[in-house]
Amino acid sequence: MGNMCKKESNDEPNEKNTVKLITIGTAGSGKSTFAKQMKILHCNGFREEEMDNYKRILFSNVVTGFKEIGMNLNLLDRQVEDAEEEMNYFMNNTTFNETGTIDREMAEYSMTLWEDEAVQFAWSKRDEYPLTISCLDYLIGHMEDFVDPDYILSDDIILRLRQRTAGLRNTIFKVDEYFWKLIDVGGQKSERQKWKRYEIENTHGIMFFASIVEWDIISEEDEDKTSMEISLDVFEEVVNDSEITNIPLILVLNKVDLLPEKVKNSNIKRTYKEYKGPRKDHEEVAQFIVGKYLERVEKRNVKDIKVHVTCALDTGLMDKIFDTVVQSVRDRNLAGSKLV
């Protein structure tokens, strides 16, 4: 599955003029957000049919977000008391409007339920249970906009929407004289295991994405591990794979925008006793986490791995990171290929 944009270009991608870049990482790490950013930066944004699809994804994100909270209230020993009808609407409704878009009824139920004390408590404790829709608060804040039939989803909203990547998604765009084929590999375990099938021998670069704020979040894949432990294990497998050690690898530690608040509420020393820095110093914590990833490197020169601690929601930062990716790929292998 994939799509291509060429702006004003009339030529077509082929083996000689195409650079292939694979993005991999666990679910929710920011890979798909990066792909969206490339469409914003290099494809003049999103096509009409994509916008219609994102409206349906928005609808699904709101429903899923409230269901996740509802399913974990017992774990938190809380119950909705003043919005039982609204919670039942999301937990048991099988007859949502057929358009898959947010209508006035859903908006009203959403805003009322969001104000419930138990829901707010559950949201404040969201690090303590598996949660895929981490942007629910942002979406609720724009609920009145969504019911306007003429409302056009903003890039900020689209970047935050969560959609599972099944298999792989290709985004093809042109920068200067080259086409770039960005391959987004699904982040779930069953999808990640397939990543080496995607013509690794013809790949010019690999970007590994990871969330920097998951050191205490229980993994959906393995309840005995944190999401960060799973990510570290996957990174170790990828970075030390003998078949790809000659391919440039870029490590992107995402969600740094959430780190200052995270360190206030979660003591990283409870998970990593070897951390010696100040508990609430987010810059020290960030460097510690960078170190945890790099210490897994065995079959590469650590200095060759470009590391970015960043926020995938920031279009300007993603533009700069892509520039460094282009340079890394050029420096490593384009000069000796048919591409230059």
Side-chain angles (χ1 to χ4, degrees):
M1 172 174 192
N3 51 73
M4 180 173 71
C5 64
K6 298 185 294 180
K7 288 192 175 181
E8 299 177 357
S9 173
N10 293 318
D11 52 347
E12 297 292 336
N14 57 55
E15 184 178 345
K16 293 183 178 181
N17 67 3
T18 300
V19 183
K20 188 164 67 174
L21 183 65
I22 291 180
T23 61
I24 189 169
T26 54
S29 58
K31 301 177 290 80
S32 297
T33 305
F34 179 76
K36 293 176 188 176
Q37 292 282 25
M38 294 302 99
K39 290 188 71 65
I40 291 170
L41 288 165
H42 302 293
C43 301
N44 293 323
F46 305 95
R47 303 190 306 269
E48 183 177 350
E49 59 267 32
E50 291 178 295
M51 298 291 282
D52 290 339
N53 185 49
Y54 280 125
K55 286 184 178 181
R56 290 187 286 271
I57 295 172
L58 167 63
F59 175 93
S60 175
N61 277 199
V62 174
V63 173
T64 301
F66 279 121
K67 281 188 173 181
E68 288 180 331
I69 290 174
M71 288 187 294
N72 285 282
L73 285 175
N74 287 338
L75 175 68
L76 299 170
D77 195 26
R78 288 291 192 279
Q79 285 187 327
V80 170
E81 296 182 357
D82 299 323
E84 292 183 4
E85 178 183 348
E86 288 79 2
M87 179 58 82
N88 184 64
Y89 172 84
F90 286 103
M91 297 299 294
N92 303 310
N93 196 340
T94 58
T95 58
F96 286 111
N97 70 78
E98 295 181 358
T99 64
T101 55
I102 294 174
D103 56 16
R104 171 54 62 183
E105 179 184 51
M106 183 176 181
E108 294 292 347
Y109 278 150
S110 298
M111 291 185 288
T112 300
L113 182 57
W114 182 251
E115 295 300 323
D116 184 85
E117 183 177 344
V119 170
Q120 283 296 303
F121 179 81
W123 186 252
S124 71
K125 299 292 183 179
R126 58 190 178 277
D127 284 349
E128 298 180 12
Y129 57 89
L131 183 73
T132 60
I133 308 301
S134 58
C135 62
L136 188 59
D137 55 342
Y138 191 85
L139 300 182
I140 297 300
H142 291 79
M143 197 59 64
E144 285 291 349
D145 296 329
F146 300 151
V147 297
D148 181 349
D150 297 323
Y151 176 71
I152 298 175
L153 290 181
S154 66
D155 289 344
D156 284 343
I157 294 293
I158 291 175
L159 288 170
R160 286 171 169 80
L161 296 179
R162 180 74 184 276
Q163 180 184 19
R164 174 175 175 169
T165 303
L168 72 158
R169 293 176 181 273
N170 296 333
T171 301
I172 302 175
F173 52 93
K174 193 172 186 184
V175 178
D176 298 326
E177 69 269 38
Y178 300 118
F179 285 97
W180 286 74
K181 183 178 183 181
L182 182 65
I183 302 176
D184 179 7
V185 179
Q188 286 73 21
K189 183 177 182 179
S190 60
E191 302 294 343
R192 294 196 311 265
Q193 292 173 337
K194 307 172 187 175
W195 75 276
K196 286 184 65 177
R197 299 179 188 175
Y198 306 135
E199 304 176 61
I200 288 298
E201 66 274 14
N202 295 320
T203 296
H204 298 91
I206 297 172
M207 297 181 72
F208 188 94
F209 283 78
S211 168
I212 203 169
V213 291
E214 293 187 334
W215 62 77
D216 62 348
I217 298 178
I218 301 301
S219 169
E220 290 183 84
E221 296 182 13
D222 185 342
E223 293 183 356
D224 293 327
K225 289 187 173 183
T226 65
S227 295
M228 180 171 161
E229 287 177 293
I230 296 292
S231 179
L232 284 166
D233 290 344
V234 177
F235 177 74
E236 181 175 4
E237 176 186 347
V238 172
V239 76
N240 296 313
D241 190 312
S242 59
E243 294 183 32
I244 63 169
T245 51
N246 64 323
I247 300 175
L249 188 143
I250 298 94
L251 172 61
V252 182
L253 293 177
N254 185 30
K255 303 185 180 181
V256 71
D257 55 310
L258 304 179
L259 195 55
E261 188 65 24
K262 176 78 175 188
V263 297
K264 293 179 183 178
N265 301 318
S266 176
N267 188 351
I268 194 172
K269 293 181 180 181
R270 293 176 182 170
T271 304
Y272 293 103
K273 293 181 173 56
E274 64 268 32
Y275 175 70
K276 304 301 181 183
R279 170 193 161 182
K280 296 184 179 181
D281 188 327
H282 62 274
E283 293 182 351
E284 287 282 342
V285 170
Q287 289 307 307
F288 173 79
I289 293 175
V290 169
K292 297 301 291 183
Y293 277 88
L294 295 183
E295 71 182 21
R296 298 291 186 106
V297 180
E298 297 175 355
K299 297 184 178 181
R300 290 174 180 259
N301 186 334
V302 172
K303 294 180 180 179
D304 290 338
I305 298 176
K306 303 295 183 183
V307 181
H308 298 279
V309 179
T310 190
C311 171
L313 295 173
D314 189 317
T315 304
L317 289 177
M318 292 304 99
D319 192 21
K320 292 178 181 179
I321 285 179
F322 182 69
D323 285 343
T324 66
V325 170
V326 171
Q327 192 60 50
S328 294
V329 171
R330 283 183 182 277
D331 290 346
R332 186 67 174 267
N333 55 27
L334 291 193
S337 77
K338 299 177 181 178
L339 289 169
V340 293

